[in-house]
Amino acid sequence: MSDMPSGHIMAQPIIQIGIIGGGPAGSATALALEKKLSLSNKRVKIILICAPQATAPSIGETIPPAASFYLRELDAEHILTSNKHLVCPGSKSRWADEVTGYNDFFISPVGKGFHLDRKHFDADLIALCKTRGITVFENTKVSTIDSSKKGYVLHCDNHTTSITCDFLIDATGQHQVAAKSLNISNNVFDNVISACAFFELEHTSASTTHTLVASDPNGWWYGAILPNNRAIISLCTDATELKTQKLTCYENWLNCLKANNWFFQQCTTFLQDKTKTPVKLYAKAAPSAILSNVIGHNWLAVGDAASSYDSISSAGITKSLKHAGVAAKAVKKWLEAPQKDSLEDYQSLVFNDFNAFISLHQQHYQRGANKYPNAKFWQRRLVAN
């Protein structure tokens, strides 16, 4: 017999879920968890830990209509309706031949495409987390992670006390902070690098807001107008081409741009003579890679920390938003049955989506290799197969 007074109910312990990473994958997972657990009888505290913002601008500026659908699932689509972002009507491209292809977003029933102001997009997602009762630590870098009997202990650079969590979610992108700490192997299928430049424009025109894409002997070009009268022009290539063609030098990069006549002419409609003044080039790796396991004992990885796609997919943010919802569903299942098996469906989805992406990757690069049979960049992409 218990000595507990009649009618007294012992309070359930609070289960702490720690999410490392304040990008779209981390914020979306936090929001999805909060929504799925709002009617749960479990006492759960969601903690989102955001590292200091990088000084280099984020690359990954355009989202297709599918992203609007996943934001709607999070009750977060309204963050796109402000004047911070620019509607993207679709894309124009020249890839396998000299015929211009069009992909119109206006016919999509799920929403609009957008050119994002990434700084505001990421900040608005974090702000939404705060309004929904999620504990957010900003400008906080996790330095080391220790396993404990219950879960994990996170030691942070600017905290005198550690953060404990029963379940850990790695949303740190290619840094893979938790996965590396847990010695999970990362399997790289291919690795390309975007050498990109940002330009300040005098004004923008609605007639030029299509995303532009064009294959090139040295890789492929991407161009888009961004909010606040800015534009991004990027050459997706690899480390070998960067070195042999000296494409980290603005003059060489510009000469390569001008040599791609159709793409350069399309860009000049909004760049005008802006390319005459050298600007800083940023290099950003875009590996096609996946962890050997994206789940484990009381943890999972989401977004680019779990699997990263070549920028040819234009699916980085969309994939993160999609997987965030499925990850939240898996964690909810784990709360009812705290074992690895509860997370298996999530891992299967991540693996299946990655395999589908690799198939698409090879199709796109095979078409480019057919156009440029003697170009080493394209042949190296097929060697990856």
Side-chain angles (χ1 to χ4, degrees):
M1 295 287 292
S2 171
D3 294 331
M4 185 180 297
S6 177
H8 181 82
I9 300 176
M10 181 178 292
Q12 287 186 343
I14 297 176
I15 300 171
Q16 296 205 143
I17 299 174
I19 304 172
I20 313 174
S27 298
T29 304
L31 291 169
L33 268 172
E34 186 277 331
K35 185 175 181 179
K36 290 186 181 297
L37 299 179
S38 59
L39 299 178
S40 172
N41 60 358
K42 299 287 186 181
R43 300 177 68 208
V44 178
K45 181 178 182 180
I46 303 169
I47 303 171
L48 179 64
I49 305 166
C50 310
Q53 287 190 348
T55 54
S58 297
I59 302 172
E61 311 286 345
T62 303
I63 55 173
S68 296
F69 170 81
Y70 295 117
L71 286 169
R72 196 178 309 130
E73 291 284 295
L74 300 174
D75 300 323
E77 188 182 16
H78 63 276
I79 69 171
L80 295 175
T81 59
S82 71
N83 57 6
K84 299 173 184 174
H85 311 292
L86 192 64
V87 173
C88 173
S91 63
K92 295 195 293 186
S93 64
R94 284 198 179 179
W95 193 261
D97 49 38
E98 297 307 315
V99 177
T100 304
Y102 295 86
N103 179 21
D104 281 328
F105 289 164
F106 288 128
I107 61 175
S108 172
V110 298
K112 298 177 180 178
F114 288 89
H115 298 301
L116 299 177
D117 181 321
R118 272 298 300 276
K119 183 177 180 180
H120 279 110
F121 181 76
D122 292 1
D124 284 349
L125 282 174
I126 292 172
L128 199 54
C129 288
K130 293 177 182 177
T131 63
R132 295 187 183 169
I134 295 163
T135 300
V136 178
F137 291 110
E138 296 187 85
N139 298 312
T140 301
K141 182 180 179 181
V142 175
S143 52
T144 57
I145 301 173
D146 293 327
S147 297
S148 67
K149 191 174 289 187
K150 282 187 63 181
Y152 300 93
V153 180
L154 313 180
H155 303 283
C156 305
D157 285 350
N158 60 342
H159 275 247
T160 55
T161 59
S162 56
I163 300 172
T164 61
C165 54
D166 301 279
F167 193 94
L168 179 62
I169 297 175
D170 187 347
T172 58
Q174 294 175 30
H175 297 293
Q176 299 176 317
V177 172
K180 288 179 179 177
S181 177
L182 295 166
N183 296 315
I184 307 300
S185 299
N186 190 38
N187 306 286
V188 180
F189 178 85
D190 190 18
N191 199 0
V192 293
I193 300 172
S194 291
C196 63
F198 292 87
F199 297 91
E200 303 294 328
L201 309 179
E202 299 299 330
H203 58 81
T204 58
S205 167
S207 63
T208 60
T209 54
H210 283 80
T211 298
L212 302 171
V213 177
S215 58
D216 186 275
N218 297 303
W220 53 274
W221 288 96
Y222 163 91
I225 290 180
L226 304 176
N228 303 316
N229 293 328
R230 299 174 71 238
I232 178 174
I233 306 296
S234 174
L235 173 63
C236 181
T237 184
D238 61 17
T240 302
E241 293 296 308
L242 276 180
K243 182 177 180 180
T244 58
Q245 304 298 324
K246 300 180 180 179
L247 293 171
T248 55
C249 167
Y250 181 80
E251 183 179 357
N252 295 338
W253 179 91
L254 180 59
N255 287 336
C256 184
L257 172 62
K258 290 179 177 179
N260 198 305
N261 185 61
W262 176 84
F263 184 82
F264 182 65
Q265 292 303 318
Q266 294 293 313
C267 291
T268 53
T269 61
F270 56 85
L271 287 178
Q272 297 174 349
D273 60 353
K274 294 294 181 179
T275 56
K276 292 181 179 179
T277 303
V279 297
K280 182 176 181 179
L281 291 178
Y282 296 89
K284 173 71 172 179
S288 301
I290 190 167
L291 294 176
S292 294
N293 295 290
V294 301
I295 63 170
H297 176 67
N298 296 10
W299 73 272
L300 64 78
V302 70
D304 283 358
S307 62
S308 56
Y309 294 2
D310 183 322
S311 45
I312 198 172
S313 70
S314 299
I317 294 175
T318 308
K319 178 257 297 178
S320 293
L321 297 175
K322 174 188 176 181
H323 288 181
V326 184
K329 182 180 179 180
V331 175
K332 182 181 179 182
K333 189 176 179 181
W334 175 87
L335 287 167
E336 302 298 330
Q339 54 197 23
K340 184 180 176 182
D341 288 351
S342 299
L343 310 173
E344 291 288 352
D345 287 347
Y346 168 71
Q347 174 157 279
S348 295
L349 174 86
V350 175
F351 282 3
N352 289 338
D353 281 358
F354 185 77
N355 288 334
F357 154 69
I358 290 300
S359 177
L360 185 65
H361 172 285
Q362 287 294 277
Q363 290 175 34
H364 282 313
Y365 281 114
Q366 180 64 66
R367 293 170 68 206
N370 292 342
K371 184 178 181 180
Y372 302 108
N374 299 317
K376 293 181 179 179
F377 167 85
W378 295 94
Q379 296 305 317
R380 282 193 291 273
R381 306 286 72 73
L382 300 183
V383 169
N385 196 17

